Amino acid sequence: MTGYSSKTDVATANGKQNGSGNQTGENGTKPTEFTPQGNHAYPYEVIQEIADFIVKGSGIRPKIGIICGSGLGSLADIIQNPKVFDYEKIPNFPVSTVEGHAGRLVVGTLEGANVMAMQGRFHFYEGYPLAKCSMPVRVMKLCGVEYLFATNAAGGINPKYAVGDIMLMHDHVNMLGFAGNSPLQGPNDPRFGPRFPALVNSYNKDLINKAIEISKTMGIESSVHVGVYSCLGGPTYETIAELKALRMMGVDAVGMSTVHEVITARHCDMKVFAFSLITNKCATEYSDKKDDEASHDEVMAVAKNRQKTCCELVSRLVAEIQKTA
Ligand SMILES: O=P(O)(O)O[C@H]1O[C@H](CO)[C@@H](O)[C@H]1O
């Protein structure tokens, strides 16, 4: 694969500080949780409070934020000198409810860079409004994060994709947005970003090109693609007719996450790198084969199988960013 261009294809009000990430409220329980009204965003001050809690508790101001996809939690296990925060102990943080999403925030270093990783993301189908699903991205921003690495497990719609391949995202189709749902719905706080953010060039081309170069040195370039991801609401996997329609729209891989995180990250001007691990092939023709049915067990098994490769890709890209910092 050649170079990519888009034309080609602190102190907290809640909880004690012990630096272990095990902060709790005064009586040892989770501090009161803020509940957003409707789909509206968390107030800036609430996000600031969470960020302060993490920065003070870890003693680290991270530069790179990583969101681990389903079964890809090991991306956080490679972080050195980790400070671990269980989501349930972080004030105003949602909890993870999906298998393969442990529900921990890991802060530490990777290849010499300060990083924070979400071992568990929030999905719309869990019952969380999109603003809540992507709230941690704003926490990352106020912690100091400049680069978002978003990873996911996805079904491959492009017939050239095989199970286990990696698709570097260079664009997305926001199906939830088509239906009138956005993480940026509600009043806009200009301290995060503008009312009407542009999304062309959302996926950083330099980082895509660096990842392609890295894939060559890893000898995996033939199983690395650059493509378009789409997020549906889930939790159902798609029908054949839906998959056909997505393919006609130019979608290469489909999942139930990431897009709202990327929108939130771009709104607050973070550089975004994202990839999908293709965990299953999506059927776009009718057949009686049971194999055509996606399953979360299969998704988890493939992710486990490919976690080492994904970890290497991520750490090498972090090293590249750190080199040029
Ligand atoms: O996008 P991530 O969190 O990797 O997970 C993907 O895997 C799950 C379905 O198997 C869905 O949550 C889908 O979005």
Side-chain angles (χ1 to χ4, degrees), residues 36-308:
Q37 295 301 306
N39 193 19
H40 290 182
Y42 286 56
Y44 191 96
E45 292 70 24
V46 172
I47 306 273
Q48 183 73 67
E49 188 187 319
I50 304 172
D52 289 350
F53 180 88
I54 291 160
V55 170
K56 268 246 168 135
S58 65
I60 282 180
R61 198 164 272 291
K63 178 164 83 175
I64 298 170
I66 301 166
I67 302 179
C68 306
S70 282
L72 292 174
S74 55
L75 292 171
D77 292 336
I78 56 175
I79 292 175
Q80 285 149 4
N81 308 311
K83 292 270 165 38
V84 178
F85 299 82
D86 291 337
Y87 289 171
E88 59 195 25
K89 304 270 177 62
I90 303 175
N92 292 307
F93 225 68
V95 291
S96 282
T97 68
V98 186
E99 192 203 336
H101 292 266
R104 302 173 346 144
L105 196 64
V106 182
V107 188
T109 58
L110 184 59
E111 301 290 338
N114 286 349
V115 300
M116 67 192 284
M118 289 178 67
Q119 216 168 28
R121 63 149 54 88
F122 307 111
H123 304 84
F124 190 61
Y125 62 76
E126 292 176 81
Y128 297 130
L130 290 181
K132 192 164 186 170
C133 291
S134 55
M135 175 272 277
V137 173
R138 287 186 166 175
V139 172
M140 286 179 174
K141 176 74 183 181
L142 296 195
C143 283
V145 167
E146 296 165 37
Y147 296 86
L148 176 70
F149 283 27
T151 70
N152 61 62
I157 306 182
N158 186 321
K160 293 192 181 130
Y161 292 5
V163 169
D165 286 0
I166 288 172
M167 184 191 80
L168 310 176
M169 287 170 63
H170 83 116
D171 208 347
H172 68 234
V173 175
N174 179 8
M175 293 306 285
L176 295 175
F178 279 20
N181 208 334
S182 165
L184 306 181
Q185 230 162 40
N188 183 59
D189 189 332
R191 287 174 289 183
F192 285 116
R195 173 74 287 186
F196 299 109
L199 287 182
V200 289
N201 303 319
S202 283
Y203 298 87
N204 189 280
K205 290 190 181 68
D206 287 344
L207 295 176
I208 293 175
N209 281 328
K210 282 193 168 89
I212 291 169
E213 289 310 310
I214 290 166
S215 75
K216 287 179 187 164
T217 61
M218 286 171 68
I220 58 163
E221 65 178 293
S222 60
S223 56
V224 172
H225 314 277
V226 178
V228 176
Y229 174 89
S230 184
C231 166
L232 272 64
T236 50
Y237 294 105
E238 301 70 34
T239 66
I240 303 275
E242 286 163 352
L243 291 163
K244 276 178 187 270
L246 289 168
R247 186 67 196 134
M248 279 192 276
M249 290 167 74
V251 172
D252 297 298
V254 61
M256 309 170 196
S257 70
T258 307
V259 167
H260 35 277
E261 298 157 353
V262 171
I263 290 171
T264 305
R266 291 301 299 150
H267 179 244
C268 62
D269 203 27
M270 286 162 77
K271 293 188 179 77
V272 171
F273 171 73
F275 72 80
S276 301
L277 173 66
I278 305 302
T279 52
N280 53 291
K281 267 180 95 73
C282 293
T284 50
E285 296 300 334
Y286 294 100
S287 94
D288 294 331
K289 282 191 284 168
K290 196 79 182 149
D291 284 3
D292 284 349
E293 289 185 5
S295 86
H296 195 56
D297 286 347
E298 182 190 8
V299 168
M300 295 289 292
V302 172
K304 191 170 173 212
N305 235 333
R306 299 292 286 162
Q307 59 187 354
K308 223 171 138 217

Side-chain angles (χ1 to χ4, degrees), residues 6-64:
S6 58
K7 295 208 177 78
T8 54
D9 211 71
V10 250
T12 166
N14 296 302
K16 57 182 188 270
Q17 305 295 332
N18 60 13
S20 68
N22 287 327
Q23 294 87 342
T24 58
E26 270 173 26
N27 59 3
T29 58
K30 182 179 164 91
T32 325
E33 189 171 341
F34 166 79
T35 310
Q37 295 301 306
N39 193 19
H40 290 182
Y42 286 56
Y44 191 96
E45 292 70 24
V46 172
I47 306 273
Q48 183 73 67
E49 188 187 319
I50 304 172
D52 289 350
F53 180 88
I54 291 160
V55 170
K56 268 246 168 135
S58 65
I60 282 180
R61 198 164 272 291
K63 178 164 83 175
I64 298 170

